[in-house]
C-alpha cells in the first residue's frame, strides 16, 4: 500500500503522520513514512533551512526527482509506504506543481489523501513556526489549489494505470483488481487535536469499510447544550465504527460569526482562541474572507458527501417539540440522494417527517440504536458483542 499525503504549509503534517504511524504499529502494520521536504534538505545540505523554494526551478525539480527516485526504490522493499509531499507551491516563481507525472506513474500510489485544516489554525502555525508572508485569503486560495492539484495527481496515476492495463496481454484490466486499477482520492480534515488519524489508518488498511458523511444541525443549536450532547454522542458512536467524514472537523463558520458581531459593535480587532492560544485577528480581514469561507464550506461538504458511500443524518427534537432540521441538513440530504448515495435519517421528533425526508431517504430510524442495529444486519459494521 502506497499512500501519498498532501497539504499546504502550516498543517504540521509530520506530527500528524507520526500519530498515524503509531496507530499502524499498534495494529501490527509496518509503515515507512517519507517526508519529501526533509529528504530534499538531507540531499542538499548546502541549502539553508526554510530556503529551498528560493532555488532556481530547474535545480528544485532535479532535487525533487532525485529524492523521489530513492522513494520509488524504497517502495519496492517496504510493504506500506506513506509519502508526505505537496501538490502545488506558490512562491517567488508563482504557482507551480510540486510533482512530475512520470515519477507519479512510476511510484504508482494506491491512495491520495489531501489533509486540510481550519484557516485560523494554519495561520497560527505559520506565525509560530515559519516566516512566510501571508493573508487569510492566501491560505484559503492555497488550500483550494492543493486540493485540486492532489486530485490531478490521482487522475494522472489512474490514467497511467488504465493505459498500462490496456496495453497488457490480459485485456483492459489485466490482472488488476478494481482497487488496484483505480487509486482513490480523499480530502480529510485534521480534526480537533488530530482526531482523524484513526480514519487515515482505516482508509489505508480497511479500504472496503463503509464511509459515511455525518449530517446534523450546527449553527442554530449552538446554544442548546442538551442537543449538542445528543449530537456529540451520535458522532462519537459512528466515528468509532465507520470511516466517517464529519463536517464539524472544520469549524470556520465561527470566524464569520465572530467577525460580524465585532463589526456591528464597531470593534476593529478581536481575540480568538486558536490551538490553545489567544490570537488577534483584524475584523476587516475576516469580513473580507467571509464569503470565501462560506463558499468553501458549501463546496467542501458536498465533496465530502461525494467521497462517502452514505449520509447518516441526525435530526434532534428541540425543546418545543419541533424537529431540529436546518436548511444545510436538508440540502445535504438532497445532494446525497441525487448523488445516488445511501441516505439514512435518524428522526428523533415525535412528529412524522415530511415527504421531502421520507421520499429521498433510504431508511428512517427513530433512534441511533435502531440505526446501529440495521447497520449491523447490513454488515456495514460489526456487533460490539
Amino acid at each position: 500500500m502506497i499512500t501519498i499525503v498532501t497539504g499546504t504549509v502550516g498543517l504540521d503534517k509530520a506530527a500528524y503522520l507520526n500519530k498515524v504511524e503509531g496507530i499502524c504499529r499498534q495494529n501490527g502494520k509496518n509503515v515507512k513514512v517519507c517526508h519529501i521536504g526533509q529528504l530534499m534538505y538531507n540531499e542538499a545540505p548546502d541549502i539553508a533551512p526554510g530556503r529551498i523554494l528560493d532555488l532556481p526551478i530547474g535545480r528544485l525539480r532535479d532535487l525533487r526527482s532525485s529524492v523521489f527516485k530513492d522513494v520509488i526504490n524504497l517502495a519496492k522493499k517496504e510493504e506500506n509506504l506513506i509519502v508526505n509531499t505537496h501538490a502545488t507551491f506558490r512562491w517567488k516563481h508563482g504557482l507551480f506543481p510540486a510533482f512530475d507525472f512520470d515519477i507519479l506513474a512510476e511510484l504508482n500510489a494506491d491512495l491520495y489523501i489531501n489533509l486540510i485544516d481550519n484557516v485560523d489554525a494554519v495561520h497560527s502555525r505559520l506565525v509560530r513556526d515559519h516566516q512566510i508572508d501571508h493573508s487569510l485569503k492566501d491560505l484559503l486560495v492555497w488550500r483550494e489549489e492543493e486540493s485540486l492539484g492532489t486530485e490531478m495527481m490521482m487522475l494522472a496515476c489512474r490514467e497511467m494505470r488504465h493505459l498500462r492495463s490496456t496495453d497488457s496481454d490480459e485485456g483492459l484490466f489485466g490482472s488488476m483488481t478494481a482497487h488496484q486499477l483505480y487509486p482513490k482520492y480523499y480530502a480529510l480534515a485534521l480534526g480537533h487535536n488530530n482526531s482523524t488519524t484513526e480514519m487515515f489508518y482505516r482508509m489505508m488498511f480497511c479500504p472496503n469499510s463503509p464511509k459515511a458523511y455525518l449530517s446534523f444541525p450546527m449553527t442554530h443549536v449552538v446554544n442548546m447544550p442538551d442537543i449538542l450532547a445528543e449530537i456529540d454522542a451520535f458522532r462519537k458512536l459512528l466515528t468509532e465504527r465507520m470511516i466517517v467524514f464529519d463536517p464539524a472537523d472544520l469549524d470556520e463558520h465561527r470566524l464569520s460569526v465572530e467577525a460580524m458581531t465585532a463589526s456591528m459593535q464597531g470593534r476593529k480587532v478581536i481575540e480568538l482562541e486558536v490551538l490553545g492560544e489567544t490570537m488577534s485577528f483584524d475584523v476587516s480581514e475576516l469580513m473580507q474572507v467571509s464569503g470565501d469561507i462560506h463558499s468553501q464550506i458549501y463546496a467542501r461538504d458536498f465533496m465530502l458527501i461525494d467521497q462517502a458511500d452514505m449520509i447518516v443524518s441526525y435530526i434532534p427534537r428541540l425543546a418545543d417539540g419541533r424537529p431540529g432540521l436546518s436548511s444545510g441538513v436538508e440540502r445535504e440530504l438532497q445532494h446525497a440522494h441525487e448523488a445516488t448515495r445511501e441516505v439514512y435519517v435518524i428522526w428523533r421528533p415525535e412528529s412524522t417527517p415530511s415527504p421531502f425526508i421520507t421520499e429521498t431517504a433510504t431508511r428512517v430510524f427513530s433512534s441511533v440504536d435502531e440505526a446501529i442495529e440495521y447497520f449491523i444486519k447490513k454488515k456495514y459494521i460489526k456487533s460490539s458483542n
Side-chain angles (χ1 to χ4, degrees), residues 58-167:
R59 188 186 176 195
L60 186 64
R61 184 180 296 113
D62 290 342
L63 182 58
R64 183 180 65 232
S65 297
S66 176
V67 165
F68 261 103
K69 287 177 181 177
D70 292 338
V71 171
I72 289 170
N73 289 329
L74 183 63
K76 298 174 183 176
K77 306 172 186 176
E78 296 289 338
E79 184 180 4
N80 301 294
L81 195 67
I82 295 176
V83 182
N84 174 19
T85 186
H86 291 277
T88 62
F89 282 120
R90 265 194 182 275
W91 203 243
K92 298 171 184 177
H93 310 296
L95 176 65
F96 58 99
F99 61 90
D100 298 299
F101 285 111
D102 56 339
I103 290 178
L104 281 181
E106 191 172 356
L107 183 58
N108 205 22
D110 306 283
L111 183 63
Y112 291 80
I113 296 179
N114 175 228
L115 292 176
I116 55 179
D117 199 9
N118 289 301
V119 66
D120 54 327
V122 176
H123 170 67
S124 175
R125 295 189 196 96
L126 288 179
V127 170
R128 183 190 67 195
D129 302 330
H130 302 271
Q131 294 181 344
I132 298 177
D133 185 30
H134 66 279
S135 66
L136 296 181
K137 175 73 171 183
D138 290 333
L139 301 185
L140 291 166
V141 170
W142 296 352
R143 186 168 66 191
E144 283 193 315
E145 291 170 345
E146 189 75 354
S147 175
L148 178 60
T150 307
E151 189 170 9
M152 291 177 64
M153 293 168 75
M154 181 276 295
L155 291 173
C157 182
R158 178 180 292 186
E159 182 63 20
M160 290 303 298
R161 287 193 181 189
H162 177 76
L163 292 173
R164 287 173 179 173
S165 64
T166 303
D167 292 338

Side-chain angles (χ1 to χ4, degrees), residues 235-295:
R235 293 168 55 211
K236 183 175 184 295
L237 192 58
L238 270 294
T239 299
E240 289 173 348
R241 309 181 77 165
M242 287 182 171
I243 294 175
V244 301
F245 304 116
D246 187 340
D249 285 331
L250 288 173
D251 56 355
E252 291 173 341
H253 180 64
R254 72 183 180 92
L255 299 177
S256 297
V257 173
E258 294 282 359
M260 179 64 72
T261 301
S263 178
M264 293 176 65
Q265 295 172 348
R267 290 185 287 159
K268 297 185 180 299
V269 177
I270 57 174
E271 292 188 340
L272 301 174
E273 184 175 330
V274 185
L275 301 180
E277 298 183 358
T278 300
M279 292 197 71
S280 297
F281 289 86
D282 184 271
V283 172
S284 63
E285 183 180 16
L286 286 174
M287 292 292 290
Q288 288 172 3
V289 299
S290 287
D292 301 282
I293 288 174
H294 291 155
S295 64

